[in-house]
Amino acid sequence: MKRREFLKKAGAGTAAAVAATAIQAPAVIAKKSYRWRMVTTWPPKLPVLQTGADRFAKRVEEMSDGRLKIEVYAGGELVPPFGSFDAVSNGTVQVGSSASYYWAGKEPASQWFCAVPFGLNAQGMYAWMHSGNGLKLWEEAYAPFNLVPRPGGSTGVQMGGWFNRKINTIDDYKGLKMRIPGLGGKVVAKAGGTVVLTPGGEIFTNLERGVIDATEWVGPMHDLRMGFYQAAKYYYYPGWHEPGSVLEYFFNKKAYDSLPADLKHIIDAACFESEVWILTQFDGFNGAALQTLITKHKVEVIKFPDAVLNKLRQFAEEVREEEAAKSPMAKKVNEDFKKFQKVVGTWGSISEKAYYNDIVKKYSLKS
Ligand code: CA
């Protein structure tokens, strides 16, 4: 009896030791490390956008216990700012950080995944991505380029821009030279404006010298940093052209697919975290920056007249259909987006809108 018990214990012990070895051994073998590079379209140290990309890389490294390290290069450091799409697509680097409306020339559908004039706000875009077909369609649109896209944040509603002319009627857009990218630029062109695409670093000088009459950029936090209040008189809202611009991370498909499942989950989780973090930075800091612009720099903040917004909305709908006709993918995305916006907009009219209407009674801007 004693001997049997002894043998049983010894056997169990040996078996446990063997099991422990078996558990540990493959774990050691499986710990393959990866070294990736990321290129962005943002200037070095640009708050929230470039610093958000740096933060993303750091989080992936921490969460993976150093198994996936991503070295981040700002726009121009490794490839030109707008060369990131190709660099990731052809596998020169593994990751990109940008805004998908810059890739309209590659696939017109790309524009819908970033900003649609009079389209969805940040909350709506996130809902379309994760509870609707948004991300699925985005993956389909990027697949021919060997890319896997992920939303990585949102600016929230942007500002309408800085103007040296007042916009009282839609005719005031005629001959207006404005820096405004994406579908919004096409709307301004339809209204009779001249759209100028100026790199970020040259906007201030062009505005100050009268090369352009107006520019949009992001929101109060970034606009304050650019010093536009020193070069333009009027600060218009709302940013009808970019109601909730979504920022993106995109991965070379071969590199992404080569990762083990846990590292893929870490990447996806870090993208989700980045979505939340970036939106909270914009929401948290834009308000304070707006106060500084109004009280310290005496900026005149003006709402676009309703009649102007109504006309711009009509042009925006025309532009949307014209762009959608440019590729089968854009047509498919536009149809899905419209359907989703209708459903979300209807719900929003009695939820977010109703609530906002109520709270703005107390907090509306008095400038
Ligand atoms: Ca913008």
Side-chain angles (χ1 to χ4, degrees), residues 101 158 179 181 216-218 241-242 245:
Y101 63 7
Q158 299 197 3
R179 183 264 173 203
E216 70 78 55
W217 184 232
V218 191
H241 62 299
E242 294 198 56
S245 299

Side-chain angles (χ1 to χ4, degrees), residues 23-320:
I23 288 164
Q24 278 166 16
V28 173
I29 296 161
K31 275 191 177 174
K32 188 180 168 189
S33 291
Y34 298 80
R35 296 288 176 273
W36 280 9
R37 294 188 294 177
M38 185 201 298
V39 290
T40 82
T41 54
W42 321 119
K45 296 188 170 59
L46 182 68
V48 187
L49 302 178
Q50 182 63 26
T51 61
D54 292 334
R55 188 180 183 279
F56 169 82
K58 195 164 168 269
R59 295 292 287 152
V60 169
E61 188 176 333
E62 285 168 354
M63 286 197 278
S64 68
D65 197 19
R67 286 165 61 213
L68 178 49
K69 279 191 180 171
I70 304 173
E71 208 172 327
V72 185
Y73 295 87
E77 287 180 347
L78 193 64
V79 300
F82 297 124
S84 55
F85 189 93
D86 286 341
V88 182
S89 176
N90 65 29
T92 305
V93 297
Q94 295 76 24
V95 198
S97 164
S98 189
S100 65
Y101 63 7
Y102 291 131
W103 319 127
K106 306 278 184 192
E107 166 53 69
S110 306
Q111 299 169 103
W112 274 259
F113 307 117
C114 178
V116 174
F118 296 95
L120 295 162
N121 63 4
Q123 201 169 335
M125 288 297 279
Y126 281 10
W128 182 52
M129 293 291 170
H130 299 297
S131 75
N133 297 321
L135 182 53
K136 216 175 83 201
L137 290 165
W138 197 355
E139 285 175 337
E140 193 180 327
Y142 273 22
F145 303 96
N146 308 311
L147 296 174
V148 176
R150 291 286 178 267
S154 172
T155 62
V157 181
Q158 299 197 3
M159 284 293 286
W162 299 83
F163 291 72
N164 271 322
R165 277 200 223 165
K166 273 201 174 172
I167 302 293
N168 295 319
T169 73
I170 195 72
D171 288 339
D172 291 322
Y173 274 100
K174 291 203 172 103
L176 183 91
K177 290 185 289 267
M178 181 167 187
R179 183 264 173 203
I180 175 169
L183 291 169
K186 294 181 175 92
V187 175
V188 167
K190 213 175 236 292
T194 303
V195 174
V196 183
L197 292 175
T198 310
E202 293 167 28
I203 304 174
F204 181 88
T205 313
N206 284 346
L207 191 61
E208 195 181 34
R209 292 182 184 165
V211 177
I212 52 175
D213 307 305
T215 186
E216 70 78 55
W217 184 232
V218 191
M221 176 176 32
H222 287 77
D223 293 7
L224 172 65
R225 192 173 179 267
M226 290 287 264
F228 291 137
Y229 60 89
Q230 299 167 69
K233 291 179 190 158
Y234 313 114
Y235 195 22
Y236 272 91
Y237 72 96
W240 54 268
H241 62 299
E242 294 198 56
S245 299
V246 168
L247 307 162
E248 64 176 359
Y249 293 108
F250 47 94
F251 304 88
N252 177 273
K253 195 171 184 315
K254 209 174 141 197
Y256 183 88
D257 288 346
S258 74
L259 292 177
D262 63 336
L263 289 184
K264 274 185 199 153
H265 287 312
I266 285 173
I267 289 263
D268 289 353
C271 288
F272 260 120
E273 190 201 26
S274 184
E275 279 191 75
V276 175
W277 186 81
I278 286 187
L279 183 59
T280 60
Q281 299 304 294
F282 279 107
D283 272 343
F285 293 113
N286 271 333
L290 179 67
Q291 284 309 311
T292 303
L293 286 167
I294 293 170
T295 54
K296 191 174 168 196
H297 301 300
K298 310 293 174 207
V299 168
E300 194 176 342
V301 181
I302 309 172
K303 185 174 186 283
F304 288 113
D306 288 346
V308 171
L309 286 172
N310 286 339
K311 199 71 195 165
L312 289 171
R313 183 196 301 274
Q314 185 197 314
F315 289 147
E317 279 166 15
E318 289 169 22
V319 163
R320 213 197 270 199

Side-chain angles (χ1 to χ4, degrees), residues 5-21:
E5 269 176 25
F6 170 79
L7 284 174
K8 212 168 126 191
K9 274 182 188 166
T14 311
V18 169
T21 314

